[in-house]
Amino acid sequence: QVQLVESGGGLVQPGGSLRLSCAASGSIFSISLMRWYRHNPGNQRELVASISSGGSTDYADSVKDRFTISRDNAKNTVYLEMSSLKPEDTAVYYCNLKHTDTFGREHGYWGQGTQVTVSS
């Protein structure tokens, strides 16, 4: 089983920065796709950023040029650096691990979420 633990959320003023971390247990982190989602009540869950096992990244248009996703396979950790934060970035941010096993079956795991609030 895989457990994901997010940290780093909090209250920040507009224009500020935060770094989220997601630490994973188990041995499949380095060969898994890692993603950050966010959910704000009243809105749909949004895929914010993803990073492949090879390091390829992708971002939602709403966060491009402001957020950076990275991973440290030695630490089994994925990061989300957020800068130039806006009130509309307020949400619970969730870490997701997606792994395809040798039989072609997909497995997904979620963290508990960390609240990010952008407000003056």
Side-chain angles (χ1 to χ4, degrees):
Q1 274 288 7
V2 173
Q3 289 188 326
L4 302 174
V5 179
E6 298 105 333
S7 61
L11 173 65
V12 63
Q13 292 187 341
S17 300
L18 277 177
R19 185 174 86 155
L20 305 183
S21 301
C22 172
S25 64
S27 59
I28 61 172
F29 176 85
S30 65
I31 56 174
S32 299
L33 174 69
M34 298 302 300
R35 296 180 288 195
W36 285 98
Y37 286 82
R38 65 187 180 187
H39 184 231
N40 194 357
N43 295 328
Q44 287 187 330
R45 186 177 63 188
E46 179 185 16
L47 174 59
V48 174
S50 63
I51 184 167
S52 71
S53 57
S56 297
T57 59
D58 198 16
Y59 298 91
D61 287 342
S62 58
V63 306
K64 227 169 248 185
D65 299 324
R66 298 189 299 120
F67 289 12
T68 302
I69 188 171
S70 62
R71 65 191 299 160
D72 185 338
N73 290 337
K75 295 182 179 179
N76 272 19
T77 301
V78 63
Y79 304 98
L80 186 68
E81 297 269 5
M82 307 184 294
S83 62
S84 302
L85 283 161
K86 305 174 182 179
E88 51 263 44
D89 294 318
T90 296
V92 178
Y93 284 71
Y94 295 91
C95 174
N96 171 263
L97 180 151
K98 180 182 173 184
H99 171 66
T100 303
D101 66 23
T102 53
F103 298 101
R105 297 173 302 196
E106 291 187 353
H107 304 271
Y109 302 91
W110 292 90
Q112 82 287 353
T114 185
Q115 176 72 47
V116 172
T117 302
V118 185
S119 174
S120 54

